[in-house]
Amino acid sequence: MTNSDESVNRGSVSTPSSTTSGALSVDLDDRLLPSNLAAEEMQLALNKEAGETELQTAISRCKELVLENDQCSLERKWLVRHLIELRLRLQECRDALNDPQHPRNLSSGASTRTVRGHHLHLQPLLSTSSHYCDHCTGTIWSVVQAWYQCEDCGYNCHHKCISSIIRECAHVTVTEKGGYECDICPEVGLSGQKYQCAECKSSLSIAAPKGLVCFGRLFFIDALWSEARKCDYSGLYYCSACHWGSSAVIPARVIHNWDFIPQYVCQASLQLLRLSSHLPLINLEKLNPSIFTVVHELKLVRRLRNELNGMRKYLLVCRDAEESHFIWKNVDKPHIIESPNLYSLQDLVDTQSGELPTKLHSLSHIFSEHIKMKCEVCKGRGHICEVCSNEEILFPFDVNASICNVCGVVLHKSCAARRKKCPKCLRLEQRKQDLVDAKDEDDL
Amino acid sequence: MATRKKVLLKVIILGDSGVGKTSLMNQYVNKKFSNQYKATIGADFLTKEVIVDDRIVTLQIWDTAGQERFQSLGVAFYRGADCCVLVFDVTAPNTFKSLDSWRDEFLIQASPREPTDFPFVLLGNKVDLEPRAISTKRAQQWCLSKNNIPYFETSAKEALNVEQAFQSIARNALTQQSQSVDLYNEFPDQIKLTNTTNRNSNGDSCAC
């Protein structure tokens, strides 16, 4: 694969800089491992049975390399990741020594490999499901071919492809980037990509050339030109090996246009979107606040989530709720009530389908039943509006409640509107004044 | 004609943070004391059955947070209280000074029918500690100015006077409740054949 890349680059691109990049594609590609590490990592990845001393030397070597590299450089980032990986493996090695039941002792040898952040596990032969290699796109004949799957992102590949994996593990990308691409299809254009696939750097064209024959020699070889496929999420063009024509809902389109129509995406984006669909990464309030006025379901969801967040504060300090794990029993996705401004892509999909509002309604019913009816302590922690002195217990999360910004007292909205100033604030000021007066008298 | 119905008395303990409200309650209910300080969040209650004047009553003792930052949680539990216990630390003068504001705040939030007659009990806690900052006399004077409320000097650590104080609290709460029992009766127009209960307390709530 690399050989063919090089030959294509040499043959087709005329600028001198890209010629070198073709020749040294491994070294200059910013997403690739530093060359000095590549050898070592492969060695370690292949030599799973490395003992404690070997790992120790690898760790100290890695530390040296970290110090040699510049701060914030890509090399350093990879080296630090590698260091963490080595330390984890050392720990695993030590655990295995003490525990005969440890999986490391039970499985037969090199079953886990770590490459580019992927944690690849050797899959059993004879599995009936059919898979395709994410690297070479070939079918994995699981009966005869050894193959691996990443336990984090689901990347599949042949044993023979392990050493040339290009794609970073989507799990690593998600955790490090911490957010979605929020512009709709941010294209740079094929020329901006130097007519190369954004992932594997193989050459692209808009339409495959038929091949140019000159004096009986074929200059452009059809097979080396790949059709350019656009990924709607990243806005970049990919070759057919990196873009399989799968489709997915695009976060940016949902955020800005409330558009849930699946678009074509490359494999890397697909894995990333699949992996992060349940993570609360979208701050809708910040990205597109006006969407709440247009989409009524979202407005409802926001109101319910704020209400639940208010109830959560009561449940967190309730002795009974804590003992019975009340919150955890009823909430499957903690971010729903913990951070009411953050949405996962799945939340938005469920909002559109009406599933989420229904779920939140029933949750709100369960919570308020505990606070307002069942639990004596929570009920006691409610407020009584001191303006109208109605016996009804008022909670800060109620729709008709208004909370004073200064002293935190809770009144009916209508009662608060009738008063110019919060009665408790007035009282507190009065008391402060009285104290000062009393002190003055003492001084006199 | 004491009712055989179970009597529940609601007692609220108030005072600045760190005066020993939780410790007093724990000493009284669980007979335990810990030197470690742990701020109470919001409010919580413990219950204890006691015998007052040959009647079994259940005390529902609400322990509250003295710290301001926990007061955003509401104080709806003040409503329907039968007795309010004010606690200060005899070695810390500031905790004595804020008694007035605790009392006022309670009366506003609880809004009892007769604020002047509502039973309060004052506890000066930590008498085992030196040096004293508030003398017995000064505390008693304050009590006298507030319609003669009972005063006890206690130590939650040494279990000193705690039992006696709460016994008095229970008794005061019971009188409060029996006085108001006819006010909150389910049948306000019933005719009493015996004249044991005094209905003149109803006079104040007349609309004119």
Side-chain angles (χ1 to χ4, degrees):
Chain A
M1 184 99 190
T2 2
N3 285 339
S4 59
D5 275 357
E6 281 173 26
S7 65
V8 168
N9 278 327
R10 278 185 188 144
S12 62
V13 188
S14 55
T15 50
S17 62
S18 35
T19 316
T20 39
S21 88
L24 300 166
S25 66
V26 176
D27 290 334
L28 289 186
D29 182 347
D30 59 1
R31 290 168 311 129
L32 285 181
L33 278 174
S35 53
N36 49 0
L37 179 64
E40 199 182 337
E41 179 170 69
M42 283 323 298
Q43 186 200 337
L44 192 84
L46 295 170
N47 186 7
K48 176 68 175 100
E49 293 305 292
E52 199 174 325
T53 43
E54 285 165 85
L55 284 168
Q56 292 279 22
T57 35
I59 286 175
S60 45
R61 171 84 191 108
C62 194
K63 270 193 207 161
E64 278 168 31
L65 283 171
V66 169
L67 292 176
E68 277 170 27
N69 280 284
D70 296 335
Q71 270 185 15
C72 304
S73 66
L74 273 152
E75 266 96 8
R76 201 173 221 197
K77 194 172 87 178
W78 274 108
L79 283 165
V80 170
R81 278 184 200 159
H82 185 57
L83 187 64
I84 293 166
E85 203 61 55
L86 283 169
R87 290 218 165 112
L88 282 173
R89 198 159 289 177
L90 182 66
Q91 190 55 46
E92 193 190 339
C93 189
R94 284 182 181 152
D95 289 350
L97 274 179
N98 301 326
D99 179 15
Q101 293 298 308
H102 197 271
R104 193 182 146 105
N105 293 333
L106 298 176
S107 63
S108 53
S111 58
T112 325
R113 299 278 167 85
T114 312
V115 186
R116 300 199 143 267
H118 294 285
H119 289 95
L120 298 162
H121 280 267
L122 184 63
Q123 298 299 309
L125 292 176
L126 299 170
S127 68
T128 46
S129 53
S130 65
H131 292 281
Y132 296 98
C133 174
D134 273 297
H135 181 68
C136 72
T137 72
T139 314
I140 296 171
W141 301 100
S142 56
V143 182
V144 288
Q145 284 178 311
W147 67 287
Y148 288 78
Q149 188 171 51
C150 173
E151 62 172 349
D152 296 335
C153 70
Y155 187 98
N156 301 322
C157 74
H158 293 112
H159 175 77
K160 67 181 166 72
C161 296
I162 274 195
S163 51
S164 44
I165 289 178
I166 299 170
R167 191 179 306 155
E168 209 172 284
C169 178
H171 188 260
V172 175
T173 327
V174 169
T175 38
E176 288 193 352
K177 197 157 180 237
Y180 285 119
E181 171 62 64
C182 291
D183 290 329
I184 297 173
C185 198
E187 264 183 275
V188 291
L190 261 181
S191 59
Q193 289 180 226
K194 293 183 185 158
Y195 297 92
Q196 289 175 341
C197 166
E199 188 165 285
C200 70
K201 306 288 177 204
S202 64
S203 296
L204 300 172
S205 77
I206 294 162
K210 290 278 172 272
L212 187 67
V213 185
C214 185
F215 300 114
R217 266 185 72 192
L218 202 59
F219 273 87
F220 296 111
I221 303 152
D222 281 346
L224 293 175
W225 282 94
S226 175
E227 162 202 4
R229 294 180 176 176
K230 192 172 79 178
C231 168
D232 196 78
Y233 173 71
S234 65
L236 299 172
Y237 288 90
Y238 294 84
C239 68
S240 54
C242 302
H243 189 313
W244 297 1
S246 319
S247 48
V249 175
I250 309 297
R253 288 189 188 271
V254 174
I255 293 166
H256 297 292
N257 298 343
W258 201 240
D259 168 11
F260 288 89
I261 302 165
Q263 308 283 340
Y264 292 121
V265 291
C266 69
Q267 285 305 99
S269 300
L270 181 72
Q271 278 167 356
L272 183 135
L273 290 173
R274 223 183 249 160
L275 203 68
S276 56
S277 71
H278 288 280
L279 300 177
L281 296 174
I282 305 169
N283 189 340
L284 218 48
E285 207 78 53
K286 215 165 144 191
L287 292 167
N288 187 8
S290 54
I291 196 169
F292 291 101
T293 54
V294 186
V295 183
H296 289 289
E297 295 97 321
L298 262 181
K299 206 168 157 186
L300 176 68
V301 164
R302 178 172 65 173
R303 186 177 67 77
L304 285 168
R305 285 184 69 182
N306 282 332
E307 207 177 294
L308 286 167
N309 183 249
M311 295 192 202
R312 172 178 171 263
K313 287 177 187 148
Y314 273 82
L315 295 174
L316 277 182
V317 292
C318 170
R319 176 168 36 108
D320 283 349
E322 192 189 83
E323 274 167 19
S324 61
H325 304 289
F326 186 77
I327 294 182
W328 305 121
K329 261 191 225 156
N330 291 298
V331 182
D332 49 351
K333 289 190 249 170
H335 77 262
I336 286 278
I337 61 167
E338 275 169 25
S339 35
N341 290 332
L342 296 181
Y343 293 79
S344 73
L345 190 58
Q346 192 58 44
D347 291 342
L348 297 176
V349 171
D350 290 345
T351 304
Q352 202 232 7
S353 71
E355 204 178 299
L356 190 64
T358 327
K359 210 168 106 180
L360 293 181
H361 262 305
S362 64
L363 197 60
S364 145
H365 182 74
I366 295 170
F367 277 16
S368 67
E369 193 183 43
H370 171 93
I371 296 173
K372 294 182 176 176
M373 317 274 285
K374 286 184 179 162
C375 178
E376 202 64 29
V377 178
C378 288
K379 232 195 294 182
R381 283 167 179 170
H383 294 257
I384 282 172
C385 174
E386 57 181 79
V387 176
C388 64
S389 278
N390 195 327
E391 287 293 319
E392 175 204 13
I393 299 177
L394 201 62
F395 287 89
F397 50 80
D398 283 335
V399 188
N400 59 344
S402 123
I403 306 157
C404 171
N405 295 331
V406 186
C407 67
V409 79
V410 177
L411 305 171
H412 286 111
K413 256 187 193 146
S414 52
C415 294
R418 275 192 280 136
R419 290 291 173 99
K420 273 188 197 141
K421 217 170 166 197
C422 159
K424 191 172 176 185
C425 286
L426 278 176
R427 221 158 49 229
L428 292 175
E429 273 169 31
Q430 182 65 42
R431 240 173 245 154
K432 228 183 217 167
Q433 191 57 45
D434 287 353
L435 271 180
V436 174
D437 291 350
K439 212 178 171 193
D440 288 348
E441 266 173 41
D442 285 354
D443 290 347
L444 284 171
Chain B
M1 194 214 65
T3 44
R4 289 282 147 246
K5 231 169 81 182
K6 232 182 172 181
V7 187
L8 183 81
L9 297 176
K10 195 167 174 181
V11 176
I12 317 279
I13 310 180
L14 298 178
D16 277 4
S17 73
V19 296
K21 299 178 290 297
T22 309
S23 295
L24 277 167
M25 183 180 75
N26 257 329
Q27 179 60 262
Y28 177 60
V29 178
N30 301 325
K31 309 259 176 278
K32 274 181 192 150
F33 178 81
S34 158
N35 255 323
Q36 253 164 16
Y37 175 69
K38 200 177 146 202
T40 307
I41 300 168
D44 203 348
F45 68 85
L46 290 179
T47 52
K48 184 175 167 100
E49 289 208 340
V50 284
I51 298 172
V52 184
D53 302 337
D54 300 330
R55 291 176 67 182
I56 300 174
V57 295
T58 310
L59 281 184
Q60 187 185 66
I61 308 168
W62 281 82
D63 173 32
T64 62
Q67 286 183 19
E68 192 119 3
R69 65 190 168 111
F70 292 124
Q71 317 236 320
S72 59
L73 287 166
V75 287
F77 61 89
Y78 284 9
R79 282 287 158 111
D82 298 301
C83 179
C84 177
V85 183
L86 298 169
V87 187
F88 72 99
D89 178 349
V90 292
T91 65
N94 279 341
T95 64
F96 183 75
K97 279 182 196 147
S98 48
L99 287 176
D100 272 315
S101 56
W102 281 113
R103 184 175 173 272
D104 291 349
E105 200 58 33
F106 174 81
L107 288 174
I108 287 164
Q109 298 288 346
S111 59
R113 257 156 207 274
E114 286 160 83
T116 44
D117 287 347
F118 188 86
F120 283 93
V121 174
L122 182 67
L123 304 186
N125 195 28
K126 307 199 190 178
V127 286
D128 56 300
L129 288 187
E130 289 291 335
R132 277 287 284 255
I134 305 294
S135 65
T136 314
K137 207 177 154 201
R138 194 163 162 208
Q140 277 168 343
Q141 263 170 4
W142 187 84
C143 288
L144 213 60
S145 72
K146 297 288 182 290
N147 206 2
N148 208 2
I149 66 181
Y151 173 58
F152 292 87
E153 294 199 328
T154 59
S155 161
K157 190 180 179 185
E158 311 291 343
L160 198 76
N161 247 347
V162 176
E163 196 74 35
Q164 291 88 321
F166 274 93
Q167 193 66 30
S168 152
I169 290 162
R171 186 165 294 121
N172 285 352
L174 197 63
T175 16
Q176 153 80 8
Q177 205 183 47
S178 55
Q179 270 171 11
S180 57
V181 92
D182 51 336
L183 298 176
Y184 292 110
N185 211 298
E186 290 171 66
F187 308 105
D189 292 336
Q190 68 184 306
I191 300 156
K192 294 268 182 189
L193 295 179
T194 52
N195 56 354
T196 43
T197 51
N198 52 343
R199 290 186 66 88
N200 56 4
S201 58
N202 212 0
D204 287 351
S205 56
C206 173
C208 50

